[in-house]
Amino acid sequence: MKAIKSRRTFIKKTATAAAYIPFLNVQTGFGASIFSENELNIHIFSKHLQFLDYQSVGEKTAELGFAGVDLTVRKGGHVLPEFVKRDLPIAVEAIKKGGSQCIMMATNVENAENKLDFDVLETGSKLGIQYYRSNWFKFSDEGDIEEELLKYQQQVTALSNLNKEFGIVGCYQNHAGKYVGSSIWEVKKLLEFADPAYFGSQYDIRHAMVEGGLSWENGLKLIKNNVKTIVLKDFKWSKVNGVWSVVDTPIGEGMVDFDTYFKLLKKYHINVPVSLHIEYDLGNGNFDSLTNSEQENLMYQAMRKDVTTIKKIWRKA
């Protein structure tokens, strides 16, 4: 506990000091990407394999053609934060035994002074996990948006300092809606004083296009030096019960311009770990009525189809 307190003192001091240090807009150090146009390093989001045990997740991930697992280490996930010290080593070992790697995790981490968040980062880093997605922040209903954004900026700065201690990279995902970071400009502000080698963006093209419309290319250009990981999924606008809504689709069947997007990634020399999400309806509205076996087979088919499509578009871009 004494060590934790000393770290917390260090974090508070560096977070305060960072507010007066100019932002170094570079992608260097641990977590910087090694660019290769040949292949993408695609990981499957383990949320979609929640029905499998750890070793089976590793086996199925390898069988379906993925490089590894983006493991959920969060409330309701494959590993619960309160049991992270016990269960995460078991999970990572079993996934590796199944034939897959685990260098990414999706977490609820949001505060360097939170004991559970500290334990998740410390344990993950010891096991070779290199990247984590943080929790999303939210604006309060009555608060001042600019003031709250500065508060969250300090939390991200403190997390980047803790990440440096552990040798792990934090990533904030842009998410459409009212979350902090729905606008790429908000993400850029969050990262302004964070150590750019240890905290960056998990860039989500689906959410960027929902919010950015025709200006998403400007947003990518703005954030390009901060991208540490990316999420891939697709969508379209459609009327649902008479209301225009965002409807998720298989990769390549929606509105995301993957050809232009992948060309820009290559232009900017961005080839970082990818997390594939399968958020669309798999059963034509009848998914819940299917047997467990039928549901699992549909999920595997969707994963195989999407990863194949991604690789094909990437090679042609």
Side-chain angles (χ1 to χ4, degrees):
M1 185 61 71
K2 186 176 181 181
I4 293 175
K5 287 182 178 179
S6 66
R7 284 193 178 96
R8 287 177 175 172
T9 300
F10 169 76
I11 290 164
K12 287 180 180 178
K13 289 180 178 177
T14 51
T16 302
Y20 302 97
I21 300 174
F23 175 57
L24 183 61
N25 186 18
V26 295
Q27 188 175 5
T28 58
F30 186 89
S33 63
I34 299 174
F35 178 70
S36 169
E37 289 191 356
N38 296 326
E39 294 291 344
L40 285 174
N41 191 16
I42 307 172
H43 303 248
I44 186 62
F45 191 29
S46 82
K47 167 186 172 181
H48 310 308
L49 296 173
Q50 198 82 17
F51 49 85
L52 296 178
D53 60 58
Y54 301 139
Q55 185 169 333
S56 296
V57 167
E59 293 170 349
K60 185 56 68 172
T61 295
E63 177 189 329
L64 293 172
F66 292 92
V69 180
D70 181 8
L71 188 64
T72 51
V73 184
R74 61 185 187 181
K75 182 179 179 180
H78 260 112
V79 175
L80 302 179
E82 56 266 34
F83 302 122
V84 69
K85 290 186 177 182
R86 181 194 70 191
D87 291 349
L88 189 55
I90 295 171
V92 172
E93 181 182 359
I95 287 170
K96 289 180 179 179
K97 188 175 181 181
S100 297
Q101 64 173 341
C102 183
I103 63 167
M104 303 174 68
M105 62 180 177
T107 73
N108 296 132
V109 169
E110 60 184 19
N111 193 324
E113 296 188 48
N114 180 282
K115 177 65 167 58
L116 277 183
D117 291 352
F118 184 96
D119 289 346
V120 167
L121 299 185
E122 182 181 44
T123 306
S125 65
K126 286 179 179 178
L127 295 169
I129 294 177
Q130 300 173 30
Y131 305 89
Y132 73 91
R133 187 183 80 190
S134 69
N135 204 5
W136 298 292
F137 300 126
K138 292 183 179 180
F139 293 117
S140 63
D141 291 336
E142 304 299 330
D144 182 278
I145 285 181
E146 289 183 296
E147 288 182 4
E148 292 185 347
L149 193 58
L150 291 176
K151 179 191 72 173
Y152 292 132
Q153 181 189 80
Q154 290 183 339
Q155 287 183 221
V156 167
T157 300
L159 280 172
S160 78
N161 295 326
L162 184 60
N163 294 343
K164 185 174 182 178
E165 235 184 295
F166 289 141
I168 193 169
V169 179
C171 306
Y172 191 88
Q173 180 193 11
N174 56 294
H175 195 294
K178 294 184 179 181
Y179 288 100
V180 176
S182 59
S183 162
I184 297 298
W185 284 95
E186 292 170 9
V187 178
K188 189 69 173 179
K189 189 67 176 179
L190 283 177
L191 302 175
E192 188 171 1
F193 299 114
D195 187 323
Y198 293 95
F199 207 106
S201 162
Q202 180 169 91
Y203 184 80
D204 189 315
I205 182 61
R206 179 268 198 199
H207 288 294
M209 284 199 68
V210 170
E211 291 292 340
L214 298 178
S215 70
W216 69 269
E217 292 184 43
N218 290 340
L220 178 59
K221 186 177 182 180
L222 176 71
I223 206 77
K224 62 183 175 66
N225 291 328
N226 303 100
V227 176
K228 301 296 184 182
T229 60
I230 64 177
V231 171
L232 292 181
K233 49 193 173 186
D234 206 346
F235 82 101
K236 63 182 178 181
W237 286 99
S238 183
K239 275 194 174 182
V240 179
N241 297 323
V243 178
W244 283 104
S245 305
V246 175
V247 177
D248 293 301
T249 72
I251 297 291
E253 297 182 17
M255 298 176 67
V256 173
D257 184 355
F258 282 104
D259 181 61
T260 298
Y261 177 48
F262 285 171
K263 280 183 169 68
L264 287 172
L265 291 182
K266 290 182 178 182
K267 175 183 176 181
Y268 296 144
H269 288 203
I270 298 173
N271 191 344
V272 295
V274 175
S275 180
L276 174 63
H277 293 202
I278 311 288
E279 305 288 359
Y280 51 87
D281 179 22
L282 299 177
N284 296 318
N286 299 315
F287 188 76
D288 291 339
S289 66
L290 301 176
T291 66
N292 289 341
S293 178
E294 289 172 332
Q295 290 180 355
E296 291 175 21
N297 287 332
L298 283 176
M299 180 61 72
Y300 299 148
Q301 290 171 22
M303 290 176 180
R304 194 186 302 276
K305 181 176 181 291
D306 277 0
V307 74
T308 300
T309 302
I310 289 167
K311 291 178 179 179
K312 182 178 179 180
I313 300 173
W314 175 262
R315 289 166 185 159
K316 288 185 176 181

